[in-house]
Amino acid sequence: LKIGDQKFINAKVDKDEATILQFMFDEFDLPKGVKVSQANICNNIRYVTSVVDIRESDLSLSVLPLHNPFETVTAFMTLIYSGATIAFCDNSNVFATMKEIKPTVLFGDKEFFENLYKNIWVTARKNRRHRKLKRALVWSNFLGTKSIEIRQKKFKDVLAEYGGRIRIGILEDPYMNSKLLKKLQNLGIFVIQGYGMDETSYLAFINHVKKFKNASVGLPIPGVEAEINEPNPEGIGELYIKGKVVTQGYYGDSEENDDVFSKDGFIKTGNVVYKDSDGFFYVLGKKKNAIVSKAGYSIFPEEIENRVTGSALIKQCVVYCKQMGNKDELKVCAIIVPDFTAIETLRGKSKFDVDL
């Protein structure tokens, strides 16, 4: 630029050309290269920031790897677009870094926010404040959903361990336990969830700050058209999505592209959902994972796993089906890994010493 080379500035950009290959991985299938255009990315950023209040004064701590598309698009690029500041952790102690840099916005996954909640209780016990915190949470639970500022003042000493300035947290996980979100909100940490996939250049649904439901993945972002294909009498069916955020399919796989797109241009997400009267969507599980009972009922392993792991005493859970002697009869089973550390803390403790 200093010597007058304007090639980069004057370069013509075809916004609709698939110039990015985002590889997605499935434990049961080969990796696929999703064809993403600059228009896909830019539209996603603009639509998300139109409903999520990201400010130029915000500071965020990057806690997810940059190869994660949710981190790259919804967090990193959205923050840059909004003029906000991004900090990176230079050690393994994320929570100590939070206390140091004082973030206002957090983008994380299910594991991060679960660990944040657990760390709050570990710190409270270490400082011998856990009983006082337990009693304060009983009071907080009776406040309305719009009283986050009151809670932040009430729990300012707790929040100070994490910088004391967290304004909003955003996560993408359709199976996040809604009870955990409520517990974080009761502490003054307002976290909302959304839903997206590589094929939608990330977030396609999100809860709004003033209009949210913890059990839901939220409302479609502007520019996204969502419909439920062939719903049953209860309104449950496969989620189809259409809009400028939807990518151009998979690289070098025309057969898969023919299968994943409907004739009218909707992408078949493979997720089974339902919608409530307010327009909020709820993800039950993946269509290919559904266990169909002899009576014709669909059982979604993800839904059961989410409920089981909602307990602080359970670390992991995998639900599967087992064929019985009669080939038409299936038995739903689960492998459950207890959290032995959490169980050990219960020994000899009163109800004010633990949070389940």
Side-chain angles (χ1 to χ4, degrees):
L1 290 175
K2 287 183 178 180
I3 61 174
D5 189 343
Q6 301 287 313
K7 290 180 182 178
F8 180 78
I9 295 175
N10 297 330
K12 293 183 179 180
V13 176
D14 183 350
K15 61 184 178 64
D16 297 313
E17 182 184 0
T19 54
I20 304 166
L21 271 184
Q22 171 66 48
F23 277 87
M24 55 177 289
F25 296 90
D26 189 318
E27 60 267 37
F28 304 110
D29 205 348
L30 294 172
K32 298 174 184 175
V34 181
K35 298 190 295 183
V36 187
S37 70
Q38 293 194 32
N40 290 146
I41 298 291
C42 292
N43 283 320
N44 197 291
I45 293 169
R46 289 193 303 110
Y47 294 155
V48 170
T49 52
S50 70
V51 294
V52 179
D53 182 23
I54 304 297
R55 305 167 186 172
E56 189 175 346
S57 58
D58 276 325
L59 169 62
S60 180
L61 176 64
S62 179
V63 298
L64 297 175
L66 284 174
H67 64 256
N68 182 320
F70 172 66
E71 173 69 14
T72 304
V73 179
T74 308
F76 192 85
M77 292 186 183
T78 298
L79 288 161
I80 291 175
Y81 174 81
S82 304
T85 302
I86 308 170
F88 293 87
C89 191
D90 61 355
N91 60 61
S92 59
N93 194 334
V94 175
F95 303 123
T97 304
M98 287 176 64
K99 186 175 183 179
E100 178 185 353
I101 70 162
K102 300 177 174 59
T104 59
V105 178
L106 292 173
F107 292 86
D109 57 7
K110 180 180 179 180
E111 184 179 6
F112 170 75
F113 286 105
E114 286 176 341
N115 288 335
L116 173 60
Y117 184 74
K118 289 178 181 178
N119 189 265
I120 288 172
W121 283 98
V122 168
T123 304
R125 292 189 187 98
K126 183 180 178 181
N127 297 330
R128 297 183 179 181
R129 295 177 180 173
H130 54 288
R131 292 195 176 195
K132 182 180 178 181
L133 179 58
K134 188 83 172 183
R135 286 190 290 267
L137 282 172
V138 174
W139 163 83
S140 179
N141 194 47
F142 286 100
L143 290 177
T145 57
K146 298 181 180 180
S147 304
I148 196 73
E149 293 85 2
I150 298 174
R151 291 184 172 98
Q152 288 172 343
K153 291 179 181 179
K154 179 69 174 178
F155 298 104
K156 64 179 181 179
D157 291 340
V158 174
L159 300 178
E161 295 293 328
Y162 308 93
R165 299 199 308 156
I166 301 172
R167 188 171 59 80
I168 187 172
I170 302 166
L171 72 91
E172 189 284 322
D173 193 316
Y175 312 116
M176 182 67 181
N177 189 284
S178 60
K179 290 182 179 178
L180 178 60
L181 291 180
K182 174 62 175 167
K183 288 177 179 179
L184 285 167
Q185 290 160 7
N186 282 346
L187 284 163
I189 302 174
F190 184 69
V191 182
I192 55 175
Q193 66 171 323
Y195 162 78
M197 50 197 296
D198 297 81
E199 293 91 337
T200 59
S201 54
Y202 236 70
L203 280 190
F205 294 79
I206 190 139
N207 279 276
H208 299 190
V209 173
K210 295 184 178 180
K211 190 178 182 182
F212 66 93
K213 296 186 180 183
N214 287 331
S216 167
V217 295
L219 302 165
I221 64 174
V224 166
E225 184 180 350
E227 66 176 39
I228 299 174
N229 184 57
E230 298 180 354
N232 65 14
E234 287 77 37
I236 299 172
E238 185 179 0
L239 175 64
Y240 280 23
I241 297 175
K242 187 178 182 180
K244 292 182 179 179
V245 299
V246 175
T247 58
Q248 300 172 28
Y250 309 112
Y251 178 77
D253 198 338
S254 57
E255 185 177 343
E256 181 71 15
N257 290 334
D258 291 338
D259 290 338
V260 79
F261 284 100
S262 67
K263 292 181 180 179
D264 48 359
F266 282 85
I267 188 168
K268 307 171 186 177
T269 67
N271 285 303
V272 177
V273 304
Y274 69 92
K275 181 174 66 172
D276 67 18
S277 58
D278 295 320
F280 284 80
F281 282 75
Y282 301 78
V283 178
L284 296 176
K286 292 186 179 296
K287 184 178 179 180
K288 64 181 180 181
N289 293 345
I291 301 169
V292 182
S293 69
K294 191 175 181 179
Y297 293 104
S298 294
I299 301 166
F300 298 97
E302 297 92 342
E303 187 179 13
I304 300 173
E305 291 163 358
N306 180 39
R307 289 180 179 271
V308 173
T309 54
S311 168
L313 304 181
I314 305 299
K315 200 167 188 179
Q316 291 180 319
C317 174
V318 176
V319 174
Y320 64 99
C321 68
K322 184 177 181 181
Q323 199 171 60
M324 305 304 289
N326 184 344
K327 291 185 178 180
D328 294 330
E329 187 178 353
L330 297 174
K331 184 177 182 180
V332 178
C333 307
I335 300 174
I336 297 174
V337 179
D339 189 332
F340 292 105
T341 303
I343 292 171
E344 188 64 30
T345 63
L346 279 175
R347 293 193 178 188
K349 303 291 184 181
S350 72
K351 64 180 180 180
F352 287 108
D353 291 315
V354 295
D355 180 75
L356 299 181

